Amino acid sequence: MPMEFAEKREPKPTIGVQVDDDSAREPLAFDSEANEAQLIRRAKRGDAEAFGQLVTHYQDRVYNTMYRMSNNHADAMDLTQTAFLKAFQALGRFDARAKFYTWLFRIAANLATSHYRSRVRRPTLSLHRGDDAQDHDPPAPQEAGPDGRAARSDLSQRLERALASLPEDFRVAVILKDLEDLDYSTIGEILEVPLGTVRSRIHRGRRMLREILTREEQLGDTGG
Amino acid sequence: VTPADKAQLSEELSAYLDGELEPPRSLEVEALLTEAREVRDLLHEHRRVSQRLCALPRVTAPIDLGAMIHEQIQSIPPTVSPKRAFAGAARIHLGVTGAAAAILLLAFSFWDFEPVSRHAAPSPALTAADELGRVMSETDQPDDRQWAKVTPEELEALQGLGYVGGSEDDAVAFADVLDRMEPVGGRETSVVLSAAPSVGESTAATDQGEIPTLIAKASPELAGGSPTTPGPLIQVTVQPPSAASFRRALALAQTVEPTKKEQPTADRERRDYAGSASPDSISSLLRALDRESPDGVRITMNFALSEIAQAREILREPTAEPSPAPTASERLAGRAIRAGADQVMDAPTAQARKDIFFQRGAPPVGAGKPSASRAPTTSEGASVQRESNSPVADSDDQRHPLVAAARQRSVESTADNAGRGNLSRGPAPIVGDMAAQAQLLQPYVPGLLMPWIPPAPPALAAWGKESISLGITVLPPPVHQPASSRPTETPAKP
């Protein structure tokens, strides 16, 4: 089995999920835009290794977005794989003047949105009772003490639940802004919507989140 | 301050927080922040939510994800897989031009490309647009003049199966009719938006208002074996069809930027389909169609006979005998389809067309226009669709075992797709052999045979094509008829 994608990464102690640390956020060996363009050209000619380098470079970002969209590691895994496969198959249509990650994220975002809508239409139940809870709980960060970890984990979980409850149009906009730190223009390109729509969706998404969290806090205060 | 103003201010504060508020307004907001505590509180709330989101731990991909992707990419057939060979042989010309007319094609949607992931892991299906993009990028046969090799006999059969031109009004009127039609037995009806034979000709013809003439002219040229232009080869199919979606597709097609024929370029990708439309235009069109049609866009490809023959070779079982040449009865099938089309289009009203289209019970071969007594009611037509999705048997099954069989396959297909986590958009396709589907079409098209469809090839699974659907659309005018004698009546708009 070809392992060149994985070899560049340190072995991770957990399965399927990692809490990012500073080193993990550092870009991999990816010299420049020119380098990326060259990799894309090679990948267009069917060079799987070149495409593998693109995968290595972007997989964490895509995976993180997919996870935040689906709130489910299995789905995030499938969606990420599918996004890259689609990208590979559609590379011939990629316009070299565009930004690759914008194009890639557009594929991924469309997939995630379709996936979400499909799930709404056809809800599924896990055969493995209890797996879902585990699946939705990323491990707590290592840097805090036990109490801090617990508190932060609780807040994170509430926030994740709230995020997952947003309509997908708002959720993806908020994720791309607040988690991926993309500017409105790029988000507009990814979602193929005008800037005004981006602004509105981000605002409404944040407002909904605030309302959900506030309601939960009030319920917590009253013991509800 | 009205609630609307507050909402507006709140949105502006959110944008301000992101550094995305236009400078003049940004200054005004800053002034407001200085003056009003309420505004500051609101900004603080936005910031708090944003910061909380930023603080969410980043989730990184599992370590084996890259390897899994690599493995799947490797499993994508290399250069000469059957799928690619088949696709590569297709001369792909998106002949939609800046001024192109919409021509409805009567067609089988021979092979409806809706690729479905064949990997074990559940994953969303790839879209047809992606498949088309892939095919376009891989097409390695820039010479698209193979139409010239089609014999007159073959051409006749192909025309029967293939296309007949019509005006834009015809197209929209037909789309209106389709609006009122229900899918039959799990199949979907296609409206095919197509092209004039070439950029130059379509532009000239459009300018002169002679699109029907142009189309009538195209086929004799092809029959003569010395075409000056390639035939219309690729069609963008909007499914489910509706007048609205058709109009959108039409409008989009008219924005496609043509490129000069045989434009010299060092870029092979461009060279491959220079002469039709630019890659960017095609991509843009496909993206837009995908976006505009939330229920899915499918690309239907029609092929020249030589390619169909090639497809048959590819799809044939290794042990099978070579495919025989099309028989006379097979060639007649095309005419039969047209006869069915004529029945529909000759009907005086949209409702009558629908009734004919949905009539059940195989009429005798060569039957003329259906009598009123054979035409079912609207509710009967609708019931076909319900049957196809319902596991509950009823008396119709007894009368129409083929419909029941189709329904059963549809149900199985749905269950199969659900089990795989197949996220393909749109109704679940009938998965099964095409011969059975051909039989299913017979009640609806008198005398229909399926000459060009290879017999139920298990090899389909090997190239990842899990669904094949057949569509049938109908159009009025005969191809060989000169424009002057072409029926001038336009189907009555419902």
Side-chain angles (χ1 to χ4, degrees), chain B residues 270-291:
Chain B
R270 282 183 177 273
R271 189 177 68 235
D272 280 347
Y273 37 95
S276 50
S278 74
D280 290 346
S281 297
I282 294 168
S283 293
S284 163
L285 172 65
L286 293 175
R287 275 202 307 274
L289 282 171
D290 213 7
R291 189 173 59 242

mmCIF file of all heavy atoms in Angstrom, chain B residues 270-291:
data_model
loop_
_atom_site.group_PDB
_atom_site.id
_atom_site.type_symbol
_atom_site.label_atom_id
_atom_site.label_comp_id
_atom_site.label_asym_id
_atom_site.label_seq_id
_atom_site.Cartn_x
_atom_site.Cartn_y
_atom_site.Cartn_z
ATOM 1 N N ARG B 270 -6.988 22.680 -24.537
ATOM 2 C CA ARG B 270 -7.790 23.598 -25.333
ATOM 3 C C ARG B 270 -7.928 23.083 -26.757
ATOM 4 O O ARG B 270 -8.970 23.185 -27.360
ATOM 5 C CB ARG B 270 -7.148 24.983 -25.347
ATOM 6 C CG ARG B 270 -7.399 25.747 -24.079
ATOM 7 C CD ARG B 270 -6.798 27.131 -24.166
ATOM 8 N NE ARG B 270 -7.121 27.869 -22.964
ATOM 9 C CZ ARG B 270 -8.238 28.563 -22.817
ATOM 10 N NH1 ARG B 270 -9.105 28.628 -23.792
ATOM 11 N NH2 ARG B 270 -8.481 29.199 -21.704
ATOM 12 N N ARG B 271 -6.854 22.535 -27.252
ATOM 13 C CA ARG B 271 -6.894 22.092 -28.628
ATOM 14 C C ARG B 271 -7.953 21.003 -28.812
ATOM 15 O O ARG B 271 -8.611 20.918 -29.831
ATOM 16 C CB ARG B 271 -5.526 21.555 -29.033
ATOM 17 C CG ARG B 271 -5.425 21.278 -30.529
ATOM 18 C CD ARG B 271 -4.043 20.808 -30.897
ATOM 19 N NE ARG B 271 -3.764 19.498 -30.346
ATOM 20 C CZ ARG B 271 -2.719 19.220 -29.589
ATOM 21 N NH1 ARG B 271 -1.867 20.166 -29.254
ATOM 22 N NH2 ARG B 271 -2.512 18.006 -29.133
ATOM 23 N N ASP B 272 -8.070 20.187 -27.787
ATOM 24 C CA ASP B 272 -8.990 19.073 -27.911
ATOM 25 C C ASP B 272 -10.412 19.511 -28.199
ATOM 26 O O ASP B 272 -11.134 18.843 -28.898
ATOM 27 C CB ASP B 272 -8.984 18.234 -26.633
ATOM 28 C CG ASP B 272 -7.795 17.298 -26.622
ATOM 29 O OD1 ASP B 272 -7.173 17.141 -27.677
ATOM 30 O OD2 ASP B 272 -7.498 16.744 -25.574
ATOM 31 N N TYR B 273 -10.792 20.576 -27.621
ATOM 32 C CA TYR B 273 -12.146 20.980 -27.937
ATOM 33 C C TYR B 273 -12.241 22.436 -28.355
ATOM 34 O O TYR B 273 -13.253 23.078 -28.209
ATOM 35 C CB TYR B 273 -13.135 20.663 -26.820
ATOM 36 C CG TYR B 273 -12.631 20.836 -25.419
ATOM 37 C CD1 TYR B 273 -12.852 22.006 -24.722
ATOM 38 C CD2 TYR B 273 -11.978 19.801 -24.797
ATOM 39 C CE1 TYR B 273 -12.417 22.136 -23.422
ATOM 40 C CE2 TYR B 273 -11.531 19.933 -23.499
ATOM 41 C CZ TYR B 273 -11.759 21.100 -22.822
ATOM 42 O OH TYR B 273 -11.325 21.229 -21.550
ATOM 43 N N ALA B 274 -11.156 22.905 -28.905
ATOM 44 C CA ALA B 274 -11.261 24.193 -29.570
ATOM 45 C C ALA B 274 -12.224 24.022 -30.730
ATOM 46 O O ALA B 274 -12.318 22.964 -31.322
ATOM 47 C CB ALA B 274 -9.904 24.629 -30.081
ATOM 48 N N GLY B 275 -12.911 25.026 -31.039
ATOM 49 C CA GLY B 275 -13.868 24.913 -32.121
ATOM 50 C C GLY B 275 -15.279 24.760 -31.616
ATOM 51 O O GLY B 275 -16.217 24.887 -32.365
ATOM 52 N N SER B 276 -15.422 24.492 -30.363
ATOM 53 C CA SER B 276 -16.779 24.421 -29.838
ATOM 54 C C SER B 276 -16.973 25.540 -28.833
ATOM 55 O O SER B 276 -17.497 26.596 -29.148
ATOM 56 C CB SER B 276 -17.028 23.062 -29.201
ATOM 57 O OG SER B 276 -16.004 22.750 -28.299
ATOM 58 N N ALA B 277 -16.516 25.332 -27.662
ATOM 59 C CA ALA B 277 -16.609 26.381 -26.660
ATOM 60 C C ALA B 277 -15.369 26.279 -25.795
ATOM 61 O O ALA B 277 -14.729 25.235 -25.739
ATOM 62 C CB ALA B 277 -17.860 26.204 -25.822
ATOM 63 N N SER B 278 -15.043 27.356 -25.165
ATOM 64 C CA SER B 278 -13.815 27.342 -24.388
ATOM 65 C C SER B 278 -14.012 26.490 -23.143
ATOM 66 O O SER B 278 -15.126 26.349 -22.639
ATOM 67 C CB SER B 278 -13.433 28.761 -23.978
ATOM 68 O OG SER B 278 -14.301 29.186 -22.957
ATOM 69 N N PRO B 279 -12.927 25.920 -22.643
ATOM 70 C CA PRO B 279 -13.040 25.116 -21.422
ATOM 71 C C PRO B 279 -13.647 25.912 -20.278
ATOM 72 O O PRO B 279 -14.469 25.400 -19.517
ATOM 73 C CB PRO B 279 -11.595 24.729 -21.121
ATOM 74 C CG PRO B 279 -10.888 24.856 -22.412
ATOM 75 C CD PRO B 279 -11.570 25.933 -23.177
ATOM 76 N N ASP B 280 -13.238 27.141 -20.187
ATOM 77 C CA ASP B 280 -13.777 27.945 -19.091
ATOM 78 C C ASP B 280 -15.288 28.114 -19.217
ATOM 79 O O ASP B 280 -16.035 28.059 -18.248
ATOM 80 C CB ASP B 280 -13.116 29.328 -19.076
ATOM 81 C CG ASP B 280 -11.675 29.237 -18.648
ATOM 82 O OD1 ASP B 280 -11.285 28.186 -18.124
ATOM 83 O OD2 ASP B 280 -10.939 30.206 -18.846
ATOM 84 N N SER B 281 -15.704 28.310 -20.438
ATOM 85 C CA SER B 281 -17.131 28.485 -20.643
ATOM 86 C C SER B 281 -17.889 27.221 -20.281
ATOM 87 O O SER B 281 -18.953 27.261 -19.677
ATOM 88 C CB SER B 281 -17.410 28.829 -22.105
ATOM 89 O OG SER B 281 -16.806 30.040 -22.433
ATOM 90 N N ILE B 282 -17.311 26.105 -20.676
ATOM 91 C CA ILE B 282 -17.980 24.845 -20.383
ATOM 92 C C ILE B 282 -18.046 24.624 -18.878
ATOM 93 O O ILE B 282 -19.083 24.271 -18.321
ATOM 94 C CB ILE B 282 -17.249 23.687 -21.078
ATOM 95 C CG1 ILE B 282 -17.381 23.840 -22.590
ATOM 96 C CG2 ILE B 282 -17.819 22.355 -20.629
ATOM 97 C CD1 ILE B 282 -16.475 22.929 -23.373
ATOM 98 N N SER B 283 -16.919 24.865 -18.242
ATOM 99 C CA SER B 283 -16.905 24.697 -16.786
ATOM 100 C C SER B 283 -17.923 25.607 -16.139
ATOM 101 O O SER B 283 -18.665 25.211 -15.245
ATOM 102 C CB SER B 283 -15.522 25.027 -16.228
ATOM 103 O OG SER B 283 -14.614 24.081 -16.661
ATOM 104 N N SER B 284 -17.927 26.813 -16.614
ATOM 105 C CA SER B 284 -18.841 27.792 -16.042
ATOM 106 C C SER B 284 -20.288 27.362 -16.255
ATOM 107 O O SER B 284 -21.121 27.437 -15.354
ATOM 108 C CB SER B 284 -18.568 29.144 -16.700
ATOM 109 O OG SER B 284 -19.629 30.001 -16.485
ATOM 110 N N LEU B 285 -20.547 26.877 -17.427
ATOM 111 C CA LEU B 285 -21.907 26.434 -17.728
ATOM 112 C C LEU B 285 -22.305 25.275 -16.824
ATOM 113 O O LEU B 285 -23.392 25.254 -16.244
ATOM 114 C CB LEU B 285 -21.988 26.002 -19.189
ATOM 115 C CG LEU B 285 -23.297 25.336 -19.609
ATOM 116 C CD1 LEU B 285 -24.447 26.309 -19.510
ATOM 117 C CD2 LEU B 285 -23.189 24.778 -21.011
ATOM 118 N N LEU B 286 -21.400 24.342 -16.698
ATOM 119 C CA LEU B 286 -21.730 23.166 -15.897
ATOM 120 C C LEU B 286 -21.921 23.536 -14.434
ATOM 121 O O LEU B 286 -22.824 23.048 -13.764
ATOM 122 C CB LEU B 286 -20.624 22.115 -16.033
ATOM 123 C CG LEU B 286 -20.512 21.520 -17.431
ATOM 124 C CD1 LEU B 286 -19.326 20.583 -17.506
ATOM 125 C CD2 LEU B 286 -21.787 20.773 -17.783
ATOM 126 N N ARG B 287 -21.056 24.387 -13.961
ATOM 127 C CA ARG B 287 -21.199 24.814 -12.563
ATOM 128 C C ARG B 287 -22.538 25.502 -12.358
ATOM 129 O O ARG B 287 -23.247 25.265 -11.385
ATOM 130 C CB ARG B 287 -20.072 25.768 -12.186
ATOM 131 C CG ARG B 287 -18.799 25.069 -11.743
ATOM 132 C CD ARG B 287 -17.954 26.007 -10.895
ATOM 133 N NE ARG B 287 -17.703 27.273 -11.561
ATOM 134 C CZ ARG B 287 -16.709 27.472 -12.409
ATOM 135 N NH1 ARG B 287 -15.883 26.502 -12.683
ATOM 136 N NH2 ARG B 287 -16.533 28.639 -12.977
ATOM 137 N N ALA B 288 -22.828 26.373 -13.307
ATOM 138 C CA ALA B 288 -24.066 27.123 -13.163
ATOM 139 C C ALA B 288 -25.268 26.198 -13.234
ATOM 140 O O ALA B 288 -26.221 26.336 -12.466
ATOM 141 C CB ALA B 288 -24.148 28.188 -14.255
ATOM 142 N N LEU B 289 -25.208 25.246 -14.139
ATOM 143 C CA LEU B 289 -26.317 24.307 -14.235
ATOM 144 C C LEU B 289 -26.452 23.517 -12.950
ATOM 145 O O LEU B 289 -27.548 23.266 -12.458
ATOM 146 C CB LEU B 289 -26.094 23.353 -15.403
ATOM 147 C CG LEU B 289 -26.403 23.919 -16.783
ATOM 148 C CD1 LEU B 289 -25.927 22.959 -17.850
ATOM 149 C CD2 LEU B 289 -27.883 24.165 -16.937
ATOM 150 N N ASP B 290 -25.332 23.116 -12.434
ATOM 151 C CA ASP B 290 -25.346 22.354 -11.199
ATOM 152 C C ASP B 290 -25.986 23.155 -10.079
ATOM 153 O O ASP B 290 -26.768 22.661 -9.282
ATOM 154 C CB ASP B 290 -23.921 21.993 -10.824
ATOM 155 C CG ASP B 290 -23.863 20.656 -10.138
ATOM 156 O OD1 ASP B 290 -24.883 19.959 -10.070
ATOM 157 O OD2 ASP B 290 -22.799 20.314 -9.631
ATOM 158 N N ARG B 291 -25.634 24.421 -10.074
ATOM 159 C CA ARG B 291 -26.144 25.277 -9.005
ATOM 160 C C ARG B 291 -27.629 25.568 -9.213
ATOM 161 O O ARG B 291 -28.403 25.595 -8.288
ATOM 162 C CB ARG B 291 -25.340 26.581 -9.010
ATOM 163 C CG ARG B 291 -25.608 27.480 -7.823
ATOM 164 C CD ARG B 291 -24.661 28.662 -7.823
ATOM 165 N NE ARG B 291 -24.768 29.455 -9.019
ATOM 166 C CZ ARG B 291 -23.800 29.641 -9.889
ATOM 167 N NH1 ARG B 291 -22.637 29.073 -9.711
ATOM 168 N NH2 ARG B 291 -23.969 30.400 -10.958
#
